[in-house]
Amino acid sequence: MKSEPDVFGIDDLARKKVEGWNGVRNYQARNFMRAMKKGDRAFFYHSNANPSGVAGVMEIAREAYPDPTQFDPKNDYYEPKSTPDRALWDQVDVRFIEKLPRFVALDELRRMPALKGMALFTRSRLSVQPVAADEWNAIVKAARR
DNA sequence: GCCAACGTTGGC
DNA sequence: GCCAACGTTGGC
């Protein structure tokens, strides 16, 4: 799950413990969130950063429910087509688990053979995307080196 | 700030 | 349903 650290980064989540992952306005990303189960783990990826890369681990604390920002006309993520009984966009709540012992930067991820087919590269613009078990393990291992 | 990739919108 | 125009994401 990607976020720009200037806006909301791993340290912000560490401080807040649990946060609603709002502002997702892409159907594929939304559908991936809808498929998440409580207790599932996710990487916190810093995008548009210096450098970008995987910063930490979190878990799904609450399964998909309507993203409240879509109902607020003053919010950047306002969605005029949504009504409380027919909401277009969902969010999940995520809980902080850990900051990785070593940040794994994008250029390093790119060089890892296990990540060759990863959605991060094949569907680079998706802000919520699946991680295969072997991809997960390879990244966790790299973070502990 | 630029730009490639790609998702969305809307006319037809 | 196609596709051009446009908007957004995200790396650099």
Side-chain angles (χ1 to χ4, degrees):
Chain A
M1 302 177 79
K2 300 178 181 174
S3 178
E4 304 192 12
D6 291 348
V7 179
F8 188 82
I10 189 71
D11 292 328
D12 298 304
L13 184 61
R15 191 159 16 84
K16 298 197 75 169
K17 306 295 182 208
V18 176
E19 180 75 333
W21 202 267
N22 62 33
V24 172
R25 296 293 181 271
N26 170 285
Y27 289 103
Q28 285 192 60
R30 181 202 66 186
N31 293 342
F32 283 125
M33 285 201 297
R34 285 182 174 173
M36 291 173 174
K37 297 292 178 205
K38 193 175 176 181
D40 281 355
R41 297 236 160 168
F43 285 129
F44 195 129
Y45 180 91
H46 283 177
S47 61
N48 261 313
N50 256 313
S52 294
V54 180
V57 174
M58 50 202 183
E59 77 172 13
I60 305 311
R62 182 179 171 189
E63 294 175 9
Y65 64 101
D67 175 347
T69 64
Q70 72 195 304
F71 305 122
D72 176 5
K74 291 186 208 60
N75 195 286
D76 284 348
Y77 296 117
Y78 178 58
E79 172 55 74
K81 285 182 241 160
S82 285
T83 59
D85 55 321
R86 279 181 67 94
L88 264 184
W89 305 112
D90 281 357
Q91 66 179 33
V92 295
D93 287 353
V94 296
R95 175 182 295 115
F96 177 77
I97 297 290
E98 65 167 350
K99 205 167 158 173
L100 287 179
R102 198 174 64 79
F103 181 85
V104 186
L106 179 58
D107 65 336
E108 184 177 349
L109 296 169
R110 247 192 220 114
R111 282 186 267 106
M112 293 168 59
L115 306 186
K116 203 148 184 250
M118 197 176 177
L120 185 63
F121 308 118
T122 61
R123 321 290 333 280
S124 61
R125 289 185 46 200
L126 253 196
S127 66
V128 179
Q129 49 179 254
V131 179
D134 57 334
E135 295 165 348
W136 181 275
N137 294 334
I139 292 169
V140 167
K141 199 173 156 194
R144 305 199 183 283
R145 263 204 302 274

